């Protein structure tokens, strides 16, 4: 016996006649005896003056736990021995089955109806909800309906295969126990459907449950089925023997067995609760408060023990599940008592399960008990908790560390004088025992993790809500009083620093700190990192020490990051990257750390702490220059700030930064930064030039990588200071750089002189002219072709240009110029009267071409020859001249070019120049002639149209009317509108025009 669910009490004994049927009505007992009499018993304390005919209160009372005495006997109540009786409380009727079925009015017991067709019936079932009665006699099943008065109306009658031994209503159908099987009878059409066999030992037994389902007996097994006879997945009741009768009184099922009464729980797996030894029991009946057990001459009452007492018994005996089930049956008015009992049982049950190794189930009961998490964490001495945590003293603390030395008790808020386990607990002599201890430790921690995760949402939500309320109150000016606390919780993902000063946040700190340790102790590093990435309240000091001891650097980085300890995180990350590069790292690394990780960490900090970004980006600028520059650009860190920081802390990377900056965002780099970059290039080139000159290995055509960058930068960008750079160049070397700078200053003649006479590379001179020409075209400059004439003069007067070169360079470098002239091609000259020159002028368009005064002056024409001695002494570069004219004939003014050529130039050498030039001029002449003819033709067409319009004839008759005054025109002066149809007096026309003028003037004044 598990516990006492019912107390057995003798209600009456020594009944003079054999008891065939028993029923209760209120506090009365109705006994149907074998002599056909009905004996009525009442509690001994009720008094002799309360008769069943006069006491209307009897029906509202319950059976009492006291001896019963005979109150009245009704002889001849039935002609034969009573088979069964049932009180129909809702209709105040007593149904009796004897020779037939009779109905008696309560409490007077007068007979109101007898169903004669039920004569010989052996079993019946009453449906109180609908007032339907079904009974079986021989092989027939009849259905009657109570009409609400004194009579019953027959509804249906069906035939069945054999005698019915047990029956019960199941919804609209009837379940029958026939022979050795169960059958569902459709009460509408009489259709039969088999359920399953009933067994070989005991007869069929059909018991209706309060839920509307059925319990069908199969020997010593009770099977649950629904109203259609389908098996339910709720298990089966296994009785010790086959019961003859079963009564249901929640939460128990009471079965009448041959040698005793057996009480079982209705909860799976339907365990045995109690056994009441009573022999020769003939009837077992459910009453409103108790179970009535009738023997041959005595009646016992099984009275339920109060639920509170049962709960105490079950808890004391360790049957916690049954105790919790009974707690749910406590009445609603005892809700506080129920909650207290449930909490106490859950806690005791959880400790019991924990001690017996069922850790996950124990945690489920801890969750259900709503106990503080510190109570649960007291079972885990290996978990280090914050100082604010006050651990309770549980009944029994288990040291789950086993032989794992790293799972030792440690708490920053607990004294170190805690009781330590004895040596016998720490030393395991068997390897199997050690393995089992480790397994137990892992399982307990896994159960703790699930428990903390279930509790976490509610606790974190409360802590976050309190933090939000404090921030809002601070924003509106409320006084915020913080309690004494020695640590603060820093926000994650932009939260402000919040001082831990509330119970909710202290509890959140305890939970998150314990959860992080449990996750790492069970090897769930990724889950620990995810915890730290989200909103958390982990204690920084405890978690930092814990993670450092176990080399959990990824989690440690996240801990620093979520608490805004970015400097600590970046220092650690830099250290880990250096260790990853080392062949013999001093710390154990679970993964390789790369410089890109610092860049990824710095990206969110660009907007909040740019100086920190610059400081730690120096560690990766050299190894990951492109990614670092992208970091600066994406973070919108000012380029000047970055450049100045590099200049101070990493000057060797300054040029690299400026190069990448320019390559990624050409428009985003200022003139100062461009000048800075060019100055850096020039400094390196000058150092390189000095070294080679000292070794006498300098060659103007030698190009180092830096010099190539310098030349490219000088050509492609324009934000640098050309004069400052020009002053730094040596006088006798680096002519190509000088030429580019002179070109930037619009000193094109000097730049071309360098290309021709210093570098001796005509192709570079031609390329220079092409660039100037194309640039002038884009800006719509008028004298864009003069640059080629300048080059032509340099080829034709090499001695003159060489003499003036150094003087002009010296003056240009020493004297700063405020304004620098534009492109020059020659002095202003007039066309002279030579026949050949006039002919060329006609070919070019017969337009006098003037050259700006700033152009290079040659003063040459066919009639102006140089001194023969000077010409003979100078080596004119005729080959280059002819090559220039032939390659760029379409960009050079032919008349000006011919004037510059010496007299002795052969026409044959000018054919590559004059041929395409004349063809182009002829083609242009023809095109212009065609255009002229077309325009003359168009002019003639317009004149013809004008003449046609002027021939319009208007006929004035005596009926012609003025459209303005509506009077006849007559012989007056008239006017005709352009449509040739509207005639008006000339005077009316003038008046209308003047009126329009006055109206327009008035509108203008209004505006």
């Amino acid at each position: 016996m598990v516990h006492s669910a019912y107390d057995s009490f003798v209600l009456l004994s020594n009944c003079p006649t054999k008891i065939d049927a028993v029923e209760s009505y209120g506090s009365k007992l109705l006994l149907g005896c074998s002599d056909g009499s009905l004996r009525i018993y009442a509690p001994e304390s009720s008094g002799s003056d309360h008769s069943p005919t006069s006491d209307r209160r009897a029906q509202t009372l319950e059976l009492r736990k006291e001896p019963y005495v005979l109150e009245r006997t009704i002889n001849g109540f039935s002609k034969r021995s009573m088979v069964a009786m049932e009180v129909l409380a809702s209709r105040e009727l007593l149904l009796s089955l004897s020779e037939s079925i009779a109905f008696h009015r309560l409490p007077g017991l007068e007979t109101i109806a007898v169903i004669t067709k039920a004569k010989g019936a052996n079993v019946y079932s009453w449906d109180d909800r609908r007032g339907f009665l079904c009974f079986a006699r021989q092989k027939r099943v009849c259905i009657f309906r109570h009409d609400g008065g004194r009579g019953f109306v027959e509804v249906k009658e069906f035939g069945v295969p054999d005698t019915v031994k047990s029956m019960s209503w199941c919804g609209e159908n009837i379940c029958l126990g026939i022979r050795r099987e169960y059958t569902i009878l459709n009460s509408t059409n009489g259709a039969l459907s088999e359920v399953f066999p009933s067994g070989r030992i005991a007869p069929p037994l059909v018991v209706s449950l309060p839920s509307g389902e059925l319990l069908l007996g199969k020997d010593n097994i009770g099977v649950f089925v629904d109203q259609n006879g389908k098996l339910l997945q709720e298990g089966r009741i296994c009785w010790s023997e086959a019961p003859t009768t079963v009564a249901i009184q929640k939460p128990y099922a009471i079965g009448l067995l041959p040698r005793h009464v057996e009480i079982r729980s209705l909860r799976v797996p339907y365990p045995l609760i109690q056994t009441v030894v009573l022999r020769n029991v003939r009837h077992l009946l459910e009453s409103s408060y108790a179970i009535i057990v009738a023997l041959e001459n005595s009646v016992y009452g099984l009275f339920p023990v109060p639920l509170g007492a049962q709960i105490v018994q079950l808890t004391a005996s360790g049957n916690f599940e049954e105790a919790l089930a009974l707690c749910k049956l406590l009445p609603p008015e005892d809700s506080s008592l129920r909650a207290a009992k449930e909490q106490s049982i859950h806690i005791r049950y959880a400790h019991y399960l924990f001690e017996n190794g069922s850790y996950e189930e124990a945690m489920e009961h801890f969750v259900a008990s709503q106990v503080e998490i510190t109570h649960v964490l007291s079972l885990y001495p290996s978990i280090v908790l914050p100082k604010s945590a006050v651990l309770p003293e549980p009944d029994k603390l288990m040291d789950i560390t086993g032989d794992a030395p790293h799972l030792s008790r440690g708490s920053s808020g607990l004294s170190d004088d805690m009781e330590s386990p004895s040596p016998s607990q720490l030393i395991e002599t068997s390897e199997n025992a050690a393995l089992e201890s480790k397994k137990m430790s892992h399982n307990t921690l896994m159960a703790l993790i699930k428990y903390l995760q279930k509790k976490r949402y509610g606790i974190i939500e409360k802590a976050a809500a309190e933090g939000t309320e404090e921030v809002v109150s601070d924003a509106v000016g409320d006084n915020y009083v913080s309690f004494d606390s020695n640590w603060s919780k820093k926000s994650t993902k932009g939260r402000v620093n919040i001082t831990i000063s509330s119970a909710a946040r202290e509890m959140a700190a305890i939970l998150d700190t314990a959860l992080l340790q449990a996750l790492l102790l069970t090897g769930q590093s990724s889950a620990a990192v995810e915890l730290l990435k989200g909103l958390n309240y982990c204690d920084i000091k405890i978690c930092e020490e814990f993670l450092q001891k176990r080399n959990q650097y990824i989690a440690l980085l996240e801990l620093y990051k979520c608490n805004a300890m970015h400097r600590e995180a970046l220092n650690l990350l830099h250290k880990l990257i250096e260790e990853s590069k080392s062949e013999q790292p001093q710390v154990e690394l679970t993964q390789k750390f790369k410089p890109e990780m610092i860049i990824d960490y710095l990206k969110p900090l660009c907007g909040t702490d740019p100086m920190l970004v610059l400081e730690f980006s120096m560690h990766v600028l050299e190894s990951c220059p492109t990614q670092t520059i992208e970091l600066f650009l994406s973070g919108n860190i000012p380029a000047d700030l970055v450049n100045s920081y590099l200049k101070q802390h990493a000057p060797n990377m300054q040029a690299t930064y400026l190069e990448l900056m320019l390559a990624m965002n050409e428009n985003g780099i200022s003139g100062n930064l461009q000048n800075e970059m060019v100055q850096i290039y020039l400094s390196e080139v000058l150092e390189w030039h000095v070294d080679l000159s000292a070794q006498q290995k300098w060659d103007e055509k030698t190009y180092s990588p830096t010099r190539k960058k310098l030349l490219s930068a000088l050509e492609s960008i324009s934000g640098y200071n050309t004069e400052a750079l020009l002053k730094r160049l040596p006088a006798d070397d680096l002519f190509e750089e000088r030429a580019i700078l002179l070109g930037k200053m619009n000193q094109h003649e000097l730049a071309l002189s360098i290309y021709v006479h210093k570098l001796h590379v005509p192709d570079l001179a031609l390329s220079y002219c092409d660039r100037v020409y194309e640039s002038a075209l884009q800006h719509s400059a008028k004298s864009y072709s003069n640059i080629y004439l300048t080059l032509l003069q340099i080829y034709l007067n090499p001695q003159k240009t060489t003499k003036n070169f150094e003087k002009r360079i010296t003056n240009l470098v020493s004297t700063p110029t405020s304004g620098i002239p534009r492109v020059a091609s020659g002095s202003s000259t007039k066309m002279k009267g030579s026949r050949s020159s006039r002919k060329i002028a006609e070919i070019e368009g017969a337009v006098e071409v003037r050259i700006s005064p700033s152009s290079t002056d040659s003063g040459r024409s066919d009639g102006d020859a140089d001194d023969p001695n000077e010409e003979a002494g100078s080596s004119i570069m005729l080959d280059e001249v002819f090559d220039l004219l032939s390659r760029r004939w379409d960009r050079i003014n032919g008349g000006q070019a011919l004037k510059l050529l010496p007299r002795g130039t052969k026409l044959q050498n000018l054919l590559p120049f004059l041929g395409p030039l004349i063809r182009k001029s002829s083609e242009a002449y023809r095109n212009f002639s065609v255009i002229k003819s077309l325009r003359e033709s168009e002019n003639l067409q317009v004149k013809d149209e004008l003449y046609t319009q002027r021939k319009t004839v208007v006929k004035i008759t005596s009926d012609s009317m003025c459209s303005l005054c509506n009077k006849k025109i007559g012989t007056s002066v008239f006017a005709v509108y352009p449509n040739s149809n509207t005639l008006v007096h000339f005077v009316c026309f003038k008046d209308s025009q003047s009126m329009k003028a006055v109206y327009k003037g008035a509108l203008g004044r209004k505006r």
Side-chain angles (χ1 to χ4, degrees), residues 681 706-717 740:
Y681 288 157
T706 306
R707 189 184 183 194
K708 291 179 181 179
K709 292 180 182 180
L710 175 62
L711 292 171
S712 176
L714 291 175
E715 290 180 356
S716 59
I717 62 178
I740 295 174

Side-chain angles (χ1 to χ4, degrees), residues 235-246:
R236 291 158 174 76
I237 297 181
C238 296
W239 307 93
S240 57
E241 296 181 66
T244 57
T245 306
V246 174

Side-chain angles (χ1 to χ4, degrees), residues 188-365:
T188 303
N189 54 23
L192 295 173
S193 57
E194 295 183 359
V195 181
F196 56 80
S198 63
R200 299 180 180 180
I201 301 175
L205 176 62
V206 181
V207 181
S208 178
L209 300 177
S211 60
E213 298 162 349
L214 298 174
L215 177 65
L216 305 182
K218 188 172 184 180
D219 293 338
N220 67 322
I221 298 176
V223 182
F224 293 95
V225 298
D226 62 10
Q227 295 182 356
N228 298 317
K230 294 183 180 179
L231 296 177
L232 299 177
Q233 302 297 325
E234 297 180 357
R236 291 158 174 76
I237 297 181
C238 296
W239 307 93
S240 57
E241 296 181 66
T244 57
T245 306
V246 174
I248 303 297
Q249 192 174 57
K250 280 194 170 182
Y252 302 114
I254 300 94
L256 176 58
L257 277 62
R259 292 177 293 182
H260 58 270
V261 176
E262 195 167 284
I263 302 169
R264 288 186 174 270
S265 172
L266 284 176
R267 292 180 61 258
V268 180
Y270 313 104
L272 175 65
I273 301 299
Q274 184 180 359
T275 300
V276 180
V277 179
L278 292 172
R279 297 185 179 276
N280 300 322
V281 176
R282 301 188 63 188
H283 303 283
L284 187 141
L285 177 69
E286 177 193 0
S287 178
S288 59
Y289 175 67
I291 300 295
I292 301 173
V293 180
L295 284 66
E296 286 189 358
N297 300 99
S298 59
V299 177
Y300 285 78
L302 300 181
F303 293 90
V305 176
L307 289 176
Q310 293 188 53
I311 292 171
V312 172
Q313 292 182 48
L314 290 169
T315 306
S317 61
N319 289 279
F320 303 102
E321 293 285 351
E322 291 293 333
L324 291 171
L326 291 182
C327 284
K328 299 184 185 303
L329 300 178
L330 289 171
E333 55 268 17
D334 296 335
S335 58
S336 59
L337 174 63
R338 169 182 170 179
K341 284 186 174 293
E342 285 184 340
Q343 182 182 23
S344 175
I345 295 170
H346 278 301
I347 293 175
R348 293 190 62 180
Y349 192 18
H351 280 283
Y352 171 80
L353 293 171
F354 194 90
E355 292 172 1
N356 287 276
S358 300
Y359 305 115
E360 291 192 10
E361 295 179 18
M363 294 304 158
E364 291 178 1
H365 286 281

